[in-house]
Amino acid sequence: MNEGYKPIKIIRREDISNPVAEKQETRPELPEISLQHELREKGGEYIPSGSWWYWNMVDGKPIDDKTKAEMLLAQKEELPYMVSAVLERACNLSCNHCLYQDEKSSREASIKGRLSEVIEHMVSNMPKASEDTGGKRNPEPEFLSGGRILRPWHLDLFKNLRDVRPDVKIGMIDNGTFTKLLAKWPEGLKMDWIDISIDGTEEHHNEQRGSTNAYSEAIHGLMRAREIIRPRSEGGYVASLMTLTNINAGDVPKVADVLFEESGGEPLADKLNLTTMGPTNAVNTELEMRVQDLAQAWDGIKKASAKYNTPTNQRVSLRLYRIEDLEKLATIVGEKKFLESFPDNEQEARERVSFRGNFIETNIDGILVSYLPVSIWPPEELLIEADGAYRVAYEGQFTLDELRDGKSKDGRNTGSYTVAQLTPETDFREVYEKAVDHYWQYFGHKKLDNEFATFQRIREKASK
């Protein structure tokens, strides 16, 4: 049953507990921040933030402050079902496409920030799948170890999380080098999933990752992954993320064959997740896909999907975050056909589009595409950095020292990426609500303007 909005405190920028707040620029509060209080007092039906975003994009009418406030309130009802953590800043690779820079170990900062305690506390306070939050059902809660390499102490953390919240699924992203810790693996510890990237053919994977043995390590990791994963009958799975660049744009079918073709046993992976690279520095900007590159990758995705996907098992999937890549896709399939996948008719939209919180799923050219507008990012995850701070998307482009100092080496403000320094006493809902307003104030409202302008261009091209 939908009980409407729950009363919450409206968070203003000056209320945000932030270790580098004094280094952030002062800016006026946006009207939609203060408007939330009035709207919350009136109450209302919960509508997914993705739905708010969608209808304003396809209608093409200027988005007013009240609507923006409603979208922020919706995000506050969408408590993140995933807590993710950067457990180590150092890595054994220097991948060309990577968001991160080469960096020293962050272990000392993690100890000072009481990282393990912070993670255990935040995970213990995640909403349960069965809880009804403002008229919506929460998915199963998850914890993701997001990088960058696995350390022995991480295994103890995973064990403790199992004890704290047995219902929370635990997964990790790895480059295959977890196998070096198998001798130290705790007895009985099984992960719910692991994601080991294969970024193209062996030649292209190694080129993209800047190492001559990166591919062989990744394949070896996939071959041994099921030793530490729960069986499929209990929901366990092995995934592989492929980050699309102009190096590997033509490799999708070959990667799918490597992962899914069985040779005397079971396949190396159960899922192939594809996404595009977001350029953040001079090195990875050179790898960004042009329209012709994405067109090549799109053709490969269609071939791999036709070969390996079934109505009940979508083994190959595409997730996009960048509006720039969505616009490129519109160019590839044709703006008119693209807009047919984002219908402005309510009946057609119900049949073709689904909303999962801030995710929008639609079928484009026969492929299921999941799109998360970066303007409404916060519900995707509660991101805990190696020093125990809650930070927002794309923080990884800066070193931990740059984030803590509030300024990057080239003079950019990094304080805006930090929401709060977490402690073992932090209130989960309260700090998340702060993050929604904080992210919107510094990033979200600008990104929404860019997304709106992009859809306007697509509509104009479709009408010609």
Side-chain angles (χ1 to χ4, degrees):
M1 179 181 295
N2 193 319
E3 299 175 356
Y5 290 136
K6 294 183 178 180
I8 62 171
K9 178 184 177 183
I10 299 301
I11 306 299
R12 291 177 167 79
R13 192 192 68 80
E14 59 268 23
D15 297 326
I16 296 170
S17 173
N18 189 324
V20 291
E22 69 279 1
K23 300 180 183 179
Q24 296 179 15
E25 70 272 21
T26 301
R27 57 179 63 197
E29 183 181 88
L30 297 169
E32 53 266 32
I33 301 293
S34 55
L35 265 174
Q36 294 174 62
H37 179 71
E38 178 184 344
L39 294 173
R40 183 64 73 171
E41 288 293 316
K42 292 180 179 178
E45 180 184 2
Y46 164 76
I47 299 172
S49 59
S51 182
W52 281 108
W53 183 94
Y54 178 91
W55 287 111
N56 282 282
M57 286 297 137
V58 300
D59 286 346
K61 298 176 182 177
I63 307 174
D64 59 31
D65 296 335
K66 178 179 179 294
T67 300
K68 293 174 183 176
E70 294 277 18
M71 192 159 61
L72 289 170
L73 287 172
Q75 289 180 66
K76 289 180 178 179
E77 294 301 323
E78 294 159 0
L79 297 180
Y81 70 90
M82 176 185 289
V83 169
S84 69
V86 181
L87 297 179
E88 175 57 81
R89 273 283 184 147
C91 188
N92 63 305
L93 295 174
S94 298
C95 301
N96 294 319
H97 69 274
C98 191
L99 180 71
Y100 295 91
Q101 305 175 46
D102 289 334
E103 203 166 345
K104 65 182 180 182
S105 174
S106 52
R107 180 59 175 146
E108 184 178 343
S110 297
I111 293 172
K112 289 181 179 178
R114 302 168 70 186
L115 181 60
S116 290
E117 294 175 72
V118 163
I119 291 173
E120 289 174 28
H121 170 73
M122 298 306 289
V123 169
S124 69
N125 285 279
M126 293 179 74
K128 294 182 179 180
S130 59
E131 289 181 354
D132 191 337
T133 317
K136 65 177 284 292
R137 304 296 290 183
N138 289 309
E140 290 184 296
E142 300 177 349
F143 171 77
L144 172 65
S145 171
R148 299 172 70 202
I149 55 174
L150 199 64
R151 300 291 196 190
W153 69 269
H154 300 167
L155 303 180
D156 293 329
L157 172 64
F158 300 156
K159 282 185 62 181
N160 292 341
L161 292 179
R162 280 279 186 239
D163 295 335
V164 170
R165 283 290 296 271
D167 62 312
V168 173
K169 293 184 177 297
I170 301 175
M172 67 178 180
I173 297 174
D174 192 77
N175 57 27
T177 55
F178 80 92
T179 56
K180 297 177 181 178
L181 291 182
L182 286 177
K184 299 180 180 180
W185 205 268
E187 185 178 355
L189 175 62
K190 296 289 185 181
M191 310 292 283
D192 290 282
W193 85 94
I194 187 171
D195 192 313
I196 300 175
S197 294
I198 297 294
D199 291 314
T201 61
E202 181 171 8
E203 176 188 359
H204 291 158
H205 180 98
N206 287 341
E207 179 184 354
Q208 190 158 306
R209 291 188 167 259
S211 170
T212 57
N213 65 344
Y215 184 85
S216 60
E217 284 189 330
I219 293 295
H220 181 61
L222 286 167
M223 292 174 67
R224 304 205 60 180
R226 298 192 191 276
E227 297 175 28
I228 62 163
I229 301 297
R230 283 179 167 169
R232 288 197 193 92
S233 59
E234 297 177 12
Y237 66 89
V238 178
S240 187
L241 173 66
M242 182 177 178
T243 302
L244 296 167
T245 68
N246 56 32
I247 292 175
N248 62 21
D251 293 350
V252 176
K254 294 177 182 177
V255 171
D257 287 343
V258 168
L259 295 175
F260 299 140
E261 287 187 350
E262 300 181 24
S263 55
E266 55 189 345
L268 288 178
D270 303 302
K271 300 181 181 182
L272 170 58
N273 303 317
L274 300 122
T275 193
T276 54
M277 185 209 67
T280 57
N281 56 55
V283 175
N284 61 28
T285 296
E286 294 297 317
L287 304 184
E288 183 179 8
M289 287 195 296
R290 300 156 297 182
V291 172
Q292 59 265 40
D293 299 315
L294 184 56
Q296 187 179 22
W298 185 246
D299 184 60
I301 292 170
K302 289 193 289 184
K303 290 177 180 176
S305 297
K307 187 173 182 179
Y308 293 109
N309 283 356
T310 67
T312 58
N313 188 8
Q314 295 286 316
R315 301 170 84 180
V316 181
S317 64
L318 175 66
R319 179 175 293 183
L320 297 176
Y321 296 86
R322 303 176 68 241
I323 191 65
E324 295 86 352
D325 292 322
L326 205 63
E327 185 173 19
K328 292 172 189 174
L329 187 55
T331 300
I332 292 164
V333 303
E335 284 79 11
K336 187 174 182 180
K337 180 189 286 188
F338 175 87
L339 290 178
E340 289 173 356
S341 300
F342 287 83
D344 57 6
N345 176 281
E346 188 173 346
Q347 179 61 37
E348 290 182 27
R350 274 201 296 265
E351 295 172 355
R352 304 189 63 170
V353 183
S354 62
F355 304 101
R356 292 186 298 108
N358 58 343
F359 276 94
I360 299 159
E361 293 182 341
T362 187
N363 190 293
I364 302 176
D365 213 9
I367 303 298
L368 183 66
V369 177
S370 180
Y371 174 59
L372 191 162
V374 181
S375 61
I376 53 173
W377 167 81
E380 183 188 22
E381 60 180 334
L382 193 154
L383 172 58
I384 304 175
E385 257 286 0
D387 60 347
Y390 182 0
R391 294 199 170 93
V392 301
Y394 292 101
E395 40 65 59
Q397 64 188 294
F398 304 106
T399 67
L400 198 58
D401 286 342
E402 287 177 313
L403 290 166
R404 293 166 68 84
D405 288 344
K407 183 175 288 188
S408 67
K409 298 182 186 73
D410 58 6
R412 285 179 290 168
N413 167 42
T414 63
S416 53
Y417 288 84
T418 302
V419 176
Q421 184 66 44
L422 302 175
T423 74
E425 290 76 42
T426 299
D427 183 272
F428 188 100
R429 174 180 273 275
E430 183 178 352
V431 77
Y432 168 66
E433 289 168 1
K434 289 179 181 180
V436 171
D437 286 339
H438 178 98
Y439 182 80
W440 182 260
Q441 186 83 11
Y442 285 97
F443 303 101
H445 75 281
K446 299 175 187 176
K447 295 183 183 299
L448 183 71
D449 290 343
N450 184 34
E451 291 159 354
F452 188 82
T454 300
F455 263 78
Q456 291 283 52
R457 287 195 299 273
I458 294 172
R459 270 191 295 271
E460 289 170 4
K461 292 178 180 177
S463 65
K464 293 180 180 178

